[in-house]
Amino acid sequence: MKSVPNPLPGYYPPSYRRIIERSRHEKKLLIYSQTSQTIWQPIFDAFTARYPWLTDVRATNFGTSAVYERYYSEAATGTSPADLLVSSAPANWADYASRRIAAAYRSPEKDRLPGFAEVLPGVWAFSVDPVVVLYNRQTLTPDLRPKGITSLASLAEARPSRFRDKIGSTDPSNAYGYAVNHAYTSNVSGGWQTFDRVLPFSHAEHSSGTLVEKVASGEYDFAINISGATVVPLAEASAGLLGWSYCEEGTVVVPRAISIVKTAPHAGAARLFVDFLLSEEGQAAAAAGGLTPYRPGVRQDHTDSLQDIQRKLGTSRVHVCRYELLPPKTQDAYLHRWEQALR
């Protein structure tokens, strides 16, 4: 049996060779994903360099809900070609876990990772993307550029006519928006009080793309509770148009997760891919695509790691968003309070 191009870590069991051999006969992998090809490409390049016989590795770019709905519909008829699901929507993952359709697999990388790595049974975090504030550097003088949502609230209150209707926010009525807003108000000291101050100046949008477009055009000066994985690369490439900031009062980081489904037609390749994503090499490749690695000690220069964010803000001000399925009444009450704050 030919070995892989680079030797496996010594802590991998000898039986792992059987997974590798199985993948040689599968040759492909299909991921139902909400993640862009720009993010995936460095990961796929590094993965296929390690396992060059996997010549057909592909990922979709579905909407968040479509990742799950497409798979559920196909699985009900026994015809799904998907091997893995990828998303950063905590409530959707909690519902997925309750259906018990994740393949049971314990990655040999687990003991080298923080305790939250397996966020739910069979669901593995492979990045933790920070939720940030985006702003337009051309419409704002340096003294009006915030360092978080609390800072932004003070700026807006000091110039109410200037900033009325100039703040965009991720809508909590969708899965991602609810998760990040709820995580902020649940974990950041005075979170609801800050929202009560800033939301009267805000409009909610359903997509990050809309928020980015409106900030770039100047329709909004700011956008809050938006994924850093989406906006930080855009801001860095905007030739000075866009700026961004963590929330100094407390930054939420959202696990972007992956799961092998029980019906995976290429289960060997799927296991290799999960383990690669969780390895040092895979975490560095994820960083090259703009994601936030969380495995300690990963060598990369592309973006802040979780440990970098913790050093900048303090560990107590970095909050990992939990994957939990909340009762509809709880969500309805949250949305009602949000709408009241908008006034």
Side-chain angles (χ1 to χ4, degrees):
M1 182 189 305
K2 293 181 180 180
S3 61
V4 295
N6 298 302
L8 292 169
Y11 52 85
Y12 276 46
S15 60
Y16 199 81
R17 294 290 172 180
R18 291 198 291 270
I19 298 176
I20 294 174
E21 184 62 19
R22 178 175 179 176
S23 75
R24 291 179 185 275
H25 300 285
E26 295 169 341
K27 299 183 180 179
K28 62 174 61 176
L29 195 64
L30 178 60
I31 307 165
Y32 281 4
S33 163
Q34 63 159 167
T35 301
S36 73
Q37 189 64 32
T38 301
I39 290 174
W40 277 128
Q41 199 59 55
I43 297 171
F44 289 170
D45 289 346
F47 178 67
T48 55
R50 172 171 277 276
Y51 302 110
W53 56 87
L54 293 171
T55 56
D56 184 7
V57 179
R58 293 178 292 131
T60 67
N61 190 12
F62 293 149
T64 300
S65 296
V67 168
Y68 305 92
E69 292 169 359
R70 175 76 168 266
Y71 175 73
Y72 297 154
S73 175
E74 293 174 345
T77 65
T79 60
S80 180
D83 297 298
L84 300 145
L85 306 187
V86 166
S87 172
S88 55
N92 291 113
W93 276 124
D95 175 65
Y96 168 88
S98 73
R99 297 172 185 247
R100 302 181 184 274
I101 53 181
Y105 179 60
R106 190 187 193 281
S107 172
E109 298 289 352
K110 182 173 183 178
D111 293 340
R112 270 78 184 168
L113 300 168
F116 64 82
E118 190 173 15
V119 290
L120 293 166
V123 180
W124 299 87
F126 68 94
S127 72
V128 285
D129 306 326
V131 181
V132 302
V133 176
L134 179 71
Y135 56 87
N136 188 311
R137 293 168 58 91
Q138 292 187 355
T139 63
L140 299 167
T141 55
D143 60 309
L144 296 178
R145 296 169 187 172
K147 296 181 179 179
I149 302 176
T150 301
S151 167
L152 176 55
S154 296
L155 291 172
E157 289 173 336
R159 301 189 180 189
S161 59
R162 166 68 178 81
F163 291 119
R164 185 75 61 188
D165 301 323
K166 298 295 285 184
I167 302 172
S169 178
T170 304
D171 194 329
S173 66
N174 66 51
Y176 179 83
Y178 179 81
V180 299
N181 284 294
H182 183 265
Y184 182 91
T185 54
S186 298
N187 292 286
V188 178
S189 179
W192 262 121
Q193 289 85 346
T194 296
F195 275 10
D196 285 338
R197 296 171 61 201
V198 79
L199 289 181
F201 298 90
S202 308
H203 288 289
E205 303 288 353
H206 284 285
S207 78
S208 296
T210 300
L211 287 169
V212 172
E213 289 173 6
K214 290 189 175 184
V215 173
S217 70
E219 181 174 347
Y220 293 151
D221 289 311
F222 316 94
I224 62 174
N225 291 328
I226 188 169
S227 172
T230 299
V231 304
V232 171
L234 294 174
E236 298 295 334
S238 69
L241 172 62
L242 300 175
W244 66 277
S245 174
Y246 297 124
C247 293
E248 63 180 3
E249 71 274 15
T251 291
V252 173
V253 295
V254 182
R256 184 178 300 257
I258 188 166
S259 180
I260 306 169
V261 293
K262 287 181 179 179
T263 58
H266 312 106
R271 291 179 178 186
L272 294 186
F273 191 73
V274 168
D275 296 335
F276 176 79
L277 276 177
L278 302 179
S279 72
E280 290 186 18
E281 185 181 0
Q283 289 278 281
L291 300 182
T292 302
Y294 70 92
R295 179 178 176 130
V298 174
R299 295 183 179 180
Q300 58 84 27
D301 299 313
H302 301 282
T303 185
D304 283 346
S305 66
L306 173 63
Q307 292 75 27
D308 292 329
I309 299 171
Q310 290 171 331
R311 281 192 289 271
K312 289 179 177 181
L313 299 178
T315 301
S316 65
R317 293 187 178 184
V318 180
H319 309 283
V320 180
C321 184
R322 293 185 297 172
Y323 283 14
E324 55 185 342
L325 190 62
L326 298 174
K329 287 185 178 180
T330 301
Q331 298 184 39
D332 290 344
Y334 190 93
L335 292 176
H336 177 72
R337 183 169 181 180
W338 172 281
E339 290 164 0
Q340 290 296 108
L342 286 173
R343 291 196 290 273

